[in-house]
Amino acid sequence: VQLQASGGGLVQAGDSLRLSCAASGRIFSTYVMGWFRQAPGKEREFVSSIRWSGGDTRYADAVKGRFTISSDNAKNTVYLQMNSLKPEDTAVYSCAAKSSVYANVWSMWGQGTQVTVSS
């Protein structure tokens, strides 16, 4: 499976952005799709995930209530709607996939897209 993230940019605090992760290749319904981010000088952190078949959405505490993950199986795309952005959301955002909810390793990764939030 190949993953391609897009949609990043430079915005002001309080603005919104929608990231997209286009998936190609054979995608099984058991897959879980996720978003991670890495800020300069920090470790990569989990942001959100969703089952490819839909549902079971999960969020990091830092983004709950502001970010929404969704999937469009017809377009083979997962979205991350980011509202009320804060400067601390500035990071490179990457999409990833794992084979099931029971998998411990996110084994499929796309390249990142930069999100910069100015104050």
Side-chain angles (χ1 to χ4, degrees):
V1 174
Q2 289 77 46
L3 304 173
Q4 179 83 27
S6 62
L10 172 62
V11 297
Q12 293 186 331
D15 285 350
S16 298
L17 272 178
R18 188 178 77 160
L19 305 183
S20 299
C21 176
S24 60
R26 189 164 186 181
I27 305 166
F28 294 93
S29 61
T30 59
Y31 279 18
V32 178
M33 311 299 292
W35 286 98
F36 291 76
R37 67 186 183 185
Q38 187 167 20
K42 295 187 177 180
E43 293 191 354
R44 183 168 59 197
E45 64 177 358
F46 170 81
V47 175
S48 182
S49 65
I50 186 170
R51 290 196 189 202
W52 184 252
S53 58
D56 194 17
T57 57
R58 304 188 182 191
Y59 298 93
D61 288 342
V63 307
K64 274 181 186 175
R66 299 187 298 121
F67 291 11
T68 302
I69 192 170
S70 62
S71 63
D72 185 336
N73 289 5
K75 295 183 177 179
N76 276 7
T77 301
V78 174
Y79 302 99
L80 185 68
Q81 177 67 43
M82 306 186 295
N83 298 330
S84 301
L85 282 162
K86 304 175 181 180
E88 50 263 45
D89 294 318
T90 295
V92 175
Y93 286 71
S94 301
C95 58
K98 60 179 180 176
S99 58
S100 78
V101 295
Y102 306 110
N104 293 324
V105 176
W106 293 85
S107 56
M108 295 160 273
W109 289 86
Q111 94 297 344
T113 185
Q114 177 71 47
V115 173
T116 303
V117 184
S118 63
S119 57

